[in-house]
């Protein structure tokens, strides 16, 4: 894949519909993983046909892999849209790819480039190093950045270093847009940036507070990780090798709050919804899509399923998630205007059933310690406050705990920033529900105040016991009972 091979691609393959050489970099993006390349970069690819000033400089914070794959292709890569009629499209919006630890100066030059007016992030929940209401200053990477703020390694360290340099040079700041699955992503990032900046330079923190916009956003598109099957399919369809194609479902949604003080790309022209109710959208999506996704992941893996579509073919799993969506989660939500809950839930179930997508449950199971609080535990806290039921949601939490215990017993890996602690607690499990659950509830950053709520503790212990030994038969039995209850 390269600019030179573009003209020879089959006619059915969509290509950049603008002159790439006439584009200018206007966005720096941290975290160019598959999600960014399948979602935001695609919207920007559409945008460049309207305004050439918003091409992307993609920056990896750790690994050089994306740069090494895409740089020889001049940033071009293939997006496979999976659906009834699958299609391929070459995306051209990424004009530069950098690896921050190896190219510090180049990253900083972009951050202070006056043409760059927007910095976006998809660094996953754990990349923010958040505490309950600011930054986790005890995180080893953050404490390192606080000692050497001009040589940052964290995303927040880079954001603040760039803003500091802009302020010193008398330049206007950039807008900072989080595109991760966090409740109130813009608000949380803003608090974390201010918290960090205050520790570095109080004057700078005040300047950020007064001048920098941190719009909230809700991002949505199911994006299974790239696998060899995709690489082979793309190579045979295009007749050229692509070092790193990405894939996603045809559906995508992006809702963004209008807080772009440095100028907003004309996003509304390419299907991005500009809304003052992002928090409502965001919460609805995290709770009605991501929570059932995590439920399928843990309970599905325990019952021997491999992919989301496979799990959805099990009536007990599909019935369980529909039940929790309609009866346990929906009542906790303040829905944004125009949000039709029936249509939304129906569409999510349909998307999960999509047979064209092999979305591995093991991929969704990653980072449970970061995902469960935003996806499930907040709903449970709200349900408790409203006097609602939490017994079925407790099965999702218990599913995660059994999954961790299973990995620990098998000596298997756990992809989670808290894996060492989790596996230690999992290995100490005895099978006694009260004992095992108590071990996990001691994880303050995950369970917070819920750990001391007697109703939550009782529901978690009961659910953990209901899942028995965590084996397929016991889990299926517990789910069947929950669907009937
Ligand atoms: C998934 C999400 O991996 C996961 O945890 O729940 O990546 C999900 O596919 C996206 O948020 C959908 O927009």
């Amino acid at each position: 894949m390269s600019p030179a091979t573009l003209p020879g691609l089959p006619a059915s393959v969509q290509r950049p519909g603008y002159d790439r050489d006439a584009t200018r970099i206007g966005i720096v993006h941290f975290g160019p993983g598959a999600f960014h390349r399948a979602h935001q970069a695609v919207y920007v690819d559409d945008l460049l046909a309207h305004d050439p000033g918003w091409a992307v400089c993609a920056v990896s914070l750790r690994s050089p892999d994306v740069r090494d794959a895409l740089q020889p292709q001049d940033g071009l890569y293939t997006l496979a849209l999976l659906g009834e009629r699958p299609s391929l499209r070459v995306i051209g919006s990424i004009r530069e790819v950098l690896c921050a630890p190896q190219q510090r100066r180049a990253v900083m030059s972009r951050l202070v480039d006056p043409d760059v007016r927007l910095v976006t992030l998809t660094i996953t929940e754990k990349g923010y190093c958040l505490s309950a209401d600011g930054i986790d200053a005890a995180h080893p990477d953050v404490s390192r950045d606080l000692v050497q703020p001009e040589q940052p390694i964290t995303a927040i360290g880079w954001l603040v270093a760039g803003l500091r340099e802009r302020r010193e040079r008398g330049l206007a700041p950039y807008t900072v847009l989080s595109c991760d699955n966090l409740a109130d992503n813009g608000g949380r990032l803003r608090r974390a940036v201010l918290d960090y900046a205050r520790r570095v330079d109080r004057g700078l923190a005040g300047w950020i507070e007064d001048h920098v916009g941190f719009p909230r956003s809700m991002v949505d598109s199911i994006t299974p990780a790239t696998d060899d099957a995709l690489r082979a399919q793309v190579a045979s369809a295009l007749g050229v090798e692509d070092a790193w194609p990405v894939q996603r479902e045809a559906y995508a949604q992006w809702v963004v709050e209008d807080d772009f003080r440095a100028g907003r790309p004309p996003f509304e022209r390419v299907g991005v919804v500009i809304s003052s109710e992002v928090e409502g959208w965001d919460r609805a999506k995290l709770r009605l899509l991501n929570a059932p996704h995590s439920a399928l992941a843990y309970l599905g893996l325990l019952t021997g399923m491999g992919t989301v579509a496979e799990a959805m073919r099990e009536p007990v799993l599909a019935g369980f998630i529909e039940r929790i969506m309609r009866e346990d989660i929906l009542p906790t939500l303040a829905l944004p205007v125009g949000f039709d809950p029936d249509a939304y839930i129906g569409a999510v179930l349909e998307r999960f059933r999509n047979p064209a997508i092999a979305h591995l449950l093991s991929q969704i199971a990653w980072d449970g310690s970061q995902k469960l609080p935003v996806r499930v535990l907040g709903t449970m806290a709200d349900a408790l406050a409203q006097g609602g039921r939490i017994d079925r949601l407790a099965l999702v939490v218990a599913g995660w705990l059994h999954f961790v215990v299973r990995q620990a017993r098998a000596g298997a890996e756990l992809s989670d920033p808290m894996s060492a602690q989790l596996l230690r607690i999992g290995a100490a499990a005895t099978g006694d529900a009260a004992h095992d659950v108590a071990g996990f509830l001691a994880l303050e950053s995950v369970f917070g105040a819920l750990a001391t709520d007697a109703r939550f503790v009782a529901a978690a212990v009961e659910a953990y016991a209901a899942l028995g030994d965590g084996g397929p038969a016991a889990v299926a039995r517990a789910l069947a009972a929950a669907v009937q209850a």
Side-chain angles (χ1 to χ4, degrees):
M1 172 73 63
S2 74
T5 58
L6 276 185
L9 297 182
S12 60
V13 178
Q14 189 182 334
R15 277 154 271 206
Y18 49 89
D19 175 7
R20 285 188 89 218
D21 293 331
T23 60
R24 292 184 315 282
I25 289 175
I27 301 175
V28 169
H29 179 78
F30 286 108
F35 186 78
H36 167 72
R37 283 182 282 141
H39 186 272
Q40 184 196 326
V42 182
Y43 282 96
V44 175
D45 197 55
D46 289 334
L47 189 67
L48 290 172
H50 300 282
D51 183 340
W54 296 101
V56 177
C57 164
V59 182
S60 302
L61 286 163
R62 291 177 192 277
S63 146
D65 295 355
V66 175
R67 181 201 58 197
D68 294 349
L70 296 193
Q71 195 168 279
Q73 305 186 168
D74 194 33
L76 294 168
Y77 61 93
T78 314
L79 168 71
L81 290 167
L82 312 167
E84 268 173 47
R85 269 176 293 137
S87 62
L88 298 177
R89 169 172 177 179
V90 176
I91 306 299
S93 52
I94 298 184
R95 295 305 321 272
E96 182 175 48
V97 200
L98 301 173
C99 171
Q102 296 175 8
Q103 294 168 284
R104 292 188 163 278
R105 261 205 290 204
V107 174
M108 188 47 91
S109 313
R110 278 299 168 203
L111 288 175
V112 297
D113 177 346
D115 276 350
V116 168
R117 288 182 289 154
L118 177 60
V119 177
T120 55
L121 305 99
T122 47
I123 52 175
T124 80
E125 299 86 344
K126 60 179 175 280
Y128 291 87
C129 309
L130 296 171
S131 67
D133 206 30
I135 194 146
D136 176 6
H139 189 292
D141 294 349
V142 177
S143 46
R144 187 211 156 277
D145 276 5
L146 286 168
V147 178
Q148 277 182 283
E150 61 300 323
Q151 295 283 310
I153 54 174
T154 64
I156 289 182
W158 273 109
L159 288 172
V160 173
L163 288 167
R164 186 186 204 183
E165 194 63 33
R166 283 201 174 216
R167 180 171 179 243
E168 272 163 24
R169 296 185 187 198
L171 294 168
Y174 37 73
T175 296
V176 180
L177 175 61
S178 164
C179 301
D180 277 294
N181 279 321
L182 290 172
D184 185 20
N185 53 12
R188 293 203 73 187
L189 177 55
R190 177 171 191 272
R191 288 191 290 278
V193 163
L194 290 175
D195 185 4
Y196 176 93
R198 268 184 216 114
R199 295 165 198 256
V200 173
D201 173 345
R202 292 198 77 84
L204 172 66
W207 183 77
I208 295 175
E209 196 160 14
D210 292 343
H211 300 292
V212 181
F214 291 84
R216 300 179 171 94
S217 77
M218 187 279 276
V219 293
D220 189 9
S221 191
I222 290 174
T223 307
T226 300
D227 53 14
D228 289 341
L230 176 69
R231 284 181 224 270
Q233 180 209 335
V234 167
S236 96
L238 298 189
V240 298
E241 295 283 332
D242 181 340
W244 205 332
V246 295
Q247 55 185 340
R248 68 156 225 230
E249 62 179 335
Y251 179 88
Q253 194 178 28
W254 195 7
V255 184
V256 180
E257 185 181 40
D258 200 355
D259 187 15
F260 290 75
R261 304 187 205 169
R264 176 162 63 69
F267 276 143
E268 67 286 354
R269 302 189 69 168
V270 294
V272 180
V273 177
I274 307 295
S275 166
S276 55
E277 288 190 291
V278 176
E279 233 175 321
W281 281 101
D282 187 33
R283 188 165 287 216
K285 188 256 172 174
L286 281 165
R287 293 186 177 190
L288 285 174
L289 186 151
N290 293 111
H293 233 185
S294 291
L296 287 176
Y298 300 119
L299 298 164
L301 287 168
L302 292 174
T303 45
M305 304 291 120
T307 67
V308 174
E310 233 172 78
M312 288 298 289
R313 287 197 289 273
E314 283 300 309
V316 81
L317 281 164
F320 176 75
I321 63 157
E322 181 162 1
R323 203 75 201 269
I324 59 170
M325 288 160 88
R326 290 192 194 281
E327 293 175 22
D328 303 337
I329 301 172
L330 194 54
T332 68
L333 292 171
L335 297 175
V337 175
F339 188 99
D340 175 344
D342 273 332
Y344 191 87
I345 290 173
V348 166
L349 293 170
E350 209 42 51
R351 290 166 65 193
F352 286 181
R353 283 194 200 102
N354 187 345
I357 300 189
H359 196 185
L360 294 179
L361 295 173
S362 55
Q363 183 189 337
I364 302 165
W366 288 358
D367 294 352
S369 69
Q370 315 291 303
K371 290 176 177 173
L372 283 213
V374 275
R375 296 179 177 201
V376 182
L377 298 176
T379 308
M380 294 177 82
D382 288 351
L384 282 172
Q386 295 167 6
R389 62 190 288 176
I390 60 163
D391 53 331
R392 285 187 291 234
L393 291 169
L395 284 168
V396 182
V397 178
W400 175 52
L401 305 188
H402 273 288
F403 168 74
V404 173
V405 171
R406 189 182 85 170
Q407 299 299 96
R409 288 205 175 126
E413 272 187 20
L414 188 68
S415 183
D416 193 297
M418 295 178 73
S419 62
Q421 272 163 289
L422 287 166
L423 289 172
R424 206 174 321 117
I425 300 170
T430 61
D432 174 69
H435 165 271
D436 295 357
V437 169
F440 287 105
L441 292 191
L443 297 169
E444 163 77 36
S445 71
V446 179
F447 292 101
L450 281 175
T452 54
D453 185 313
R455 293 164 301 171
F456 178 82
V457 177
V461 171
E462 200 175 310
Y464 186 90
L467 295 180
D469 62 357
V475 174
R477 241 191 335 267
L479 292 178
V483 171
Q484 269 138 38

